[in-house]
Amino acid sequence: MNRFLSNATNRIDAKGRVSVPAAFRSVLVERNIQELYCFQDFVFPAISVGGLDLLDRFERQIAADDPFSPAANQMSLLIHGGGVFMKLDAEGRLMVTDFIRGFTGIANEVTFVGRADHFQLWQPEAFRALQAQAREERKLAGRRSE
């Protein structure tokens, strides 16, 4: 298993740390991800977390464009200006910083959401509401998968 799947909610401790789910830590080990690239998601009120390969993918996308184009500048603002590097501590916990709290509204709990090659940090109620909305929209459109 080398993909981030499913979701789990964990409580933030008194020191502002949250344990990353064991299944997600296993994927990080399997993919040899030691430094986490974290950025403010483009669409959702969530922080996306992955390895340097994720940042590399975005930078290749920018390099394929004219570096002075509005699209390349906009992408750089999002992935560089809205990103930070983080590391897990020895017990597999992540510090829930103001960068994370300010963008997501996370207070006491974090919902970890698998997104295949990365995972996201969500405020639990926001995740449940947007997941229900997505499920309802697909149901109304009569789509199971496309």
Side-chain angles (χ1 to χ4, degrees):
M1 178 178 79
N2 63 359
R3 293 199 174 33
F4 298 101
L5 298 177
S6 195
N7 66 82
T9 300
N10 289 342
R11 179 166 277 296
I12 298 171
D13 70 15
K15 294 183 178 178
R17 304 167 300 192
V18 64
S19 292
V20 174
F24 287 13
R25 291 196 314 267
S26 294
V27 175
L28 292 172
V29 169
E30 188 173 323
R31 297 179 67 188
N32 195 28
I33 296 173
Q34 298 179 13
E35 188 167 29
L36 302 172
Y37 166 62
C38 308
F39 69 96
Q40 298 163 330
D41 190 78
F42 306 153
V43 176
F44 301 117
I47 299 296
S48 293
V49 181
L52 294 177
D53 58 323
L54 187 59
L55 178 58
D56 290 343
R57 187 173 71 203
F58 291 132
E59 289 179 334
R60 280 193 304 274
Q61 196 174 345
I62 291 171
D65 274 342
D66 173 353
F68 300 107
S69 72
N73 275 310
Q74 186 180 53
M75 186 66 153
S76 178
L77 281 175
L78 293 172
I79 67 159
H80 298 120
V84 296
F85 290 114
M86 299 183 79
K87 288 188 175 187
L88 300 183
D89 70 10
E91 284 76 42
R93 296 173 297 203
L94 185 68
M95 180 61 72
V96 183
T97 62
D98 290 343
F99 172 82
I100 295 169
R101 291 177 191 266
F103 189 74
T104 62
I106 289 171
N108 301 319
E109 294 181 318
V110 176
T111 296
F112 294 83
V113 178
R115 301 297 301 258
D117 66 344
H118 66 284
F119 62 92
Q120 293 179 319
L121 310 175
W122 284 75
Q123 193 270 348
E125 291 80 20
F127 170 69
R128 284 192 293 270
L130 283 169
Q131 188 183 44
Q133 179 184 337
R135 185 171 287 120
E136 188 62 28
E137 287 174 4
R138 291 193 71 79
K139 181 178 163 187
L140 291 174
R143 295 182 288 190
R144 290 183 169 231
S145 65
E146 290 180 5

